[in-house]
Amino acid sequence: MGAKEVLEYMAGILLEYLEELKDTKPNDNDCFGYGERTAYTECLEMIQLWKNAKQVGLDFEIEKKFPL
């Protein structure tokens, strides 16, 4: 796999994970889930710095779609 394919794969997986965790809020019962969501959001924001990010579907403001 080349770098492009790895970034595409990572972006897709991270978006899937965020969809699963989109309703997770910070609370005493599920701090881990909220931490996961924060980490995935940060990773996607880094991938969004890639010049071809829009071509793999990262053409939106991540924190607007997945607010923390």
Side-chain angles (χ1 to χ4, degrees):
M1 235 186 230
K4 181 180 186 278
E5 290 83 14
V6 170
L7 288 169
E8 289 174 352
Y9 179 70
M10 284 177 62
I13 292 293
L14 291 168
L15 287 169
E16 262 183 56
Y17 292 165
L18 279 169
E19 281 295 330
E20 290 173 10
L21 295 168
K22 68 182 172 186
D23 296 323
T24 307
K25 305 286 185 220
N27 63 41
D28 293 337
N29 299 329
D30 193 15
C31 289
F32 185 78
Y34 184 73
E36 277 184 294
R37 198 168 128 211
T38 302
Y40 298 151
T41 300
E42 289 178 7
C43 289
L44 277 178
E45 287 173 341
M46 285 186 259
I47 294 172
Q48 209 170 35
L49 298 172
W50 176 43
K51 67 180 180 178
N52 295 326
K54 289 182 180 182
Q55 295 173 358
V56 297
L58 295 178
D59 56 347
F60 59 92
E61 284 191 51
I62 294 163
E63 283 200 46
K64 281 191 178 179
K65 185 171 182 175
F66 303 103
L68 297 174

